[in-house]
Amino acid sequence: MSIRDRLPRDLAWMLAPVVVFGTCLFVVEHGWGFDSAAYWGAWRDGLYDVAPATPGAYLYSPAFAQAIWPFTHLPRPLFVGGVSVVTTLTLFWLLRPLGWKWWVPLMVCCSFEIATGNINWIFALVVAFGLRHPWLWAVPALTKVTPCVGPIWFLVRGEWRALAISVGATLGVVAVSAIAAPELWRQWVEFLLDNADRGGTVLGGSLLPSPAVRIPLAVLLVAVGARLDKHWVLPVGMILGSPVFGIGSLAVLAGLVRLGSSEDASGRGRRTDS
C-alpha cells in the first residue's frame, strides 16, 4: 500500500486518541448524554423555555419532540443509555464494510457523538439512504433545519419526483404535528427568531465561520456537487450547513460508506434529464 493510500487511515488512527481525550474532558464537565438528556427532559419543562447552549435546551421542532414522546417516559438513565447503544450499533453497521483497520479508529473518532447522544447518527442514515428514500430528508428539516440539503440535490438534478416526495413528506409531518399542537409551532418559530442573532457565538461554534457564512457555502457546494455527480457533498454540506458545529458532527460522514451500495441498487444517483 502506498503512502498516499495509507495516509487517511493513519490520520484516523492519530486523531482517535485526541477525540477520546476531548470527549473525556467534556463528559467530566457536562456528564454523559448532554444532548440526549435534553431530548428526554424537553416535555418536563416548557419545550422552548431553555436558551440555546444551556443544559437541557431543546432546539428542534415540535414534531421531533412528539415522535420521541413515548420514549421520554423511560427513566432518564435508560433513555440516555439506550440512545448511546443505538448510536454505537448504527455507526458500527455503517462503517463495518471498511474493515477493522478503518472502522476501529473511525468508531473511536465517533466517541463524542456516542457520549453526547446527539442525532448526527440519524443524519448519517439519511446520507446513506436519503437518495433512495427521499422522505428521509424530513428528519433534518424538522430538527436542525439547515442541514436539509437533499432537496437542493434533487432540484439541481431535475429529479422532480424525489423533490416532491422530500418536500411533501416534510409538509405532511408539519401539518399533522401542527394540528395536534399549533401553539408549540408558534413557540418554536418565535424561539428560532429570538435566537437568530446568536449564530456567530452560541450557534456557530468557534471552529468554523458563523452559519450566515457556512449555510450559503453548503448550498453552493451541494448544487455544484449535484451537477458533477459527487455524492460526498451531501454529508459535507450537512455538516457545513449545520447551525451548531462540533466534532460530533463528523459522524455524519459515516453515511458515505453505505451510500454507494444503496445508490447502485436504486439507480437514483444518476441524473435524469427533464
Side-chain angles (χ1 to χ4, degrees), residues 22-263:
T23 300
C24 291
L25 291 180
F26 186 89
V27 170
V28 168
E29 182 177 358
H30 300 286
W32 190 275
F34 181 83
D35 292 316
S36 56
Y39 308 150
W40 175 84
W43 289 102
R44 286 165 172 77
D45 299 309
L47 212 59
Y48 301 109
D49 288 348
V50 183
T54 304
Y58 175 79
L59 310 178
Y60 306 152
S61 77
F64 183 78
Q66 290 163 333
I68 66 172
W69 175 77
F71 302 101
T72 62
H73 290 81
L74 295 171
R76 182 182 183 276
L78 186 58
F79 180 92
V80 170
V83 170
S84 294
V85 170
V86 173
T87 301
T88 303
L89 293 176
T90 300
L91 292 173
F92 169 72
W93 179 79
L94 288 171
L95 295 170
R96 189 167 58 89
L98 294 176
W100 73 270
K101 291 183 179 180
W102 271 104
W103 69 254
V104 169
L106 292 178
M107 280 294 297
V108 176
C109 287
C110 290
S111 59
F112 191 85
E113 173 71 7
I114 295 169
T116 58
N118 203 272
I119 62 170
N120 292 304
W121 63 277
I122 301 179
F123 285 6
L125 290 174
V126 175
V127 167
F129 301 106
L131 298 185
R132 187 177 184 181
H133 303 289
W135 56 269
L136 286 171
W137 290 101
V139 177
L142 296 172
T143 51
K144 301 187 181 185
V145 185
T146 49
C148 184
V149 299
I152 299 170
W153 175 279
F154 300 137
L155 176 64
V156 171
R157 294 169 67 86
E159 297 177 1
W160 308 117
R161 183 174 180 273
L163 177 62
I165 292 174
S166 62
V167 174
T170 302
L171 294 179
V173 174
V174 170
V176 173
S177 174
I179 290 173
E183 178 62 19
L184 289 180
W185 279 87
R186 182 191 65 79
Q187 293 176 14
W188 186 50
V189 172
E190 291 181 353
F191 178 81
L192 294 179
L193 294 176
D194 290 343
N195 292 282
D197 60 348
R198 299 162 70 90
T201 54
V202 174
L203 298 183
S206 58
L207 299 179
L208 292 177
S210 72
V213 176
R214 292 188 283 106
I215 292 172
L217 288 177
V219 172
L220 179 61
L221 176 68
V222 173
V224 173
R227 294 296 299 181
L228 299 177
D229 200 31
K230 302 297 184 182
H231 295 117
W232 61 264
V233 302
L234 288 169
V236 174
M238 294 179 77
I239 294 169
L240 193 61
S242 180
V244 178
F245 174 79
I247 192 65
S249 302
L250 299 179
V252 178
L253 294 170
L256 276 175
V257 180
R258 296 282 183 174
L259 173 59
S261 59
S262 67
E263 284 308 291

